[in-house]
Amino acid sequence: MRVIYWIPSYPDQVKLNFDGGYSPHLDRATRAGILRKSDGTTLMTFMEMLPHGTTSYDGEAMALLRGLELSYFLGYKKIWTEGDAKFLIETINGTRSDDRYGLETITKIQKILKKFEVYDVSFVHREANEATNELTRVRRRTSTDAIFIGEEELPKDVMKIVERE
C-alpha cells in the first residue's frame, strides 16, 4: 500500500497544483489550480470553464498555462508545478511527444516557463491532487468562473477542499 499526499515546495518557491476536467454532458472542459506557499497557505485559486468542444487534454494543458500566467502576473519568480496528466508533463519536459495537447498551448507553456527564475513541472498521482480535481467538479456545477486571491476570499466549500490536502 502506498501513501500519497501533497508535498510542500521549497521555502523560496510557490507550488501550483493544476488539473483539467471534462463533462461529456456539456461537451466542454474545465481547468483549475491552487497556488500555495511552502507552508501550505493558499495564495490563489482558480476554476474556469473552457469553450464548447474542448477536451480533457485541453483542460489539463490550459490549467497549467492559466496557473503559470496568473502566478507570473502576481510576481512569483520561482515555481514548482504538479499535475496528474503524466503525458502532458512528459511532453512539457521533452521526454515524450504527444500531439493531443496542441502544439500552440505547449509552446505557450514552455515560453512562459522560461520567464521564471526557477521552475519544475512534475507528475503527481491523482490522490495528491484531489483538491484541484474537486475544483474542476465544483466549476461544472456552478455558473461562474472564479479567481480567488488569498484564503480570505475563498468560499467555505472551496476552502474545505483546499484544507483536505
Side-chain angles (χ1 to χ4, degrees):
M1 178 173 143
R2 65 180 175 188
V3 178
I4 300 172
Y5 53 90
W6 182 82
I7 298 171
S9 65
Y10 292 110
D12 65 338
Q13 289 182 328
V14 293
K15 185 170 183 189
L16 171 69
N17 284 81
F18 67 92
D19 199 16
Y22 176 73
S23 171
H25 174 71
L26 299 172
D27 186 33
R28 53 199 304 193
T30 53
R31 63 182 174 187
I34 302 170
L35 185 70
R36 297 181 181 112
K37 292 178 11 179
S38 61
D39 66 2
T41 303
T42 301
L43 298 167
M44 181 264 308
T45 305
F46 68 92
M47 53 185 183
E48 300 170 330
M49 187 72 74
L50 296 171
H52 286 281
T54 49
T55 68
S56 61
Y57 299 108
D58 297 324
E60 296 282 357
M62 294 173 102
L64 175 56
L65 179 61
R66 181 68 162 155
L68 290 169
E69 290 169 340
L70 291 169
S71 300
Y72 188 79
F73 176 77
L74 291 170
Y76 299 105
K77 303 294 184 214
K78 297 178 181 181
I79 191 165
W80 174 17
T81 67
E82 254 185 359
D84 55 25
K86 188 174 185 177
F87 291 167
L88 170 64
I89 289 153
E90 290 174 350
T91 302
I92 297 296
N93 289 329
T95 59
R96 172 184 292 272
S97 179
D98 194 330
D99 61 0
R100 290 180 283 192
Y101 296 102
L103 182 59
E104 183 179 344
T105 304
I106 296 297
T107 302
K108 286 180 182 179
I109 291 168
Q110 290 169 332
K111 185 175 180 180
I112 195 166
L113 280 169
K114 291 177 183 172
K115 292 181 178 184
F116 289 90
E117 293 172 15
V118 175
Y119 67 85
D120 187 27
V121 182
S122 61
F123 170 75
V124 66
H125 291 277
R126 179 169 296 259
E127 296 91 340
N129 208 35
E130 188 55 36
T132 52
N133 185 269
E134 181 63 24
L135 286 174
T136 65
R137 291 191 291 266
V138 168
R139 177 55 191 94
R140 287 194 298 270
R141 294 190 304 264
T142 61
S143 60
T144 307
D145 291 342
I147 299 172
F148 304 104
I149 304 298
E151 294 179 338
E152 300 79 30
E153 285 190 22
L154 287 175
K156 288 182 182 175
D157 58 336
V158 175
M159 189 62 192
K160 285 180 186 177
I161 294 165
V162 172
E163 287 176 341
R164 272 193 312 220
E165 250 180 11

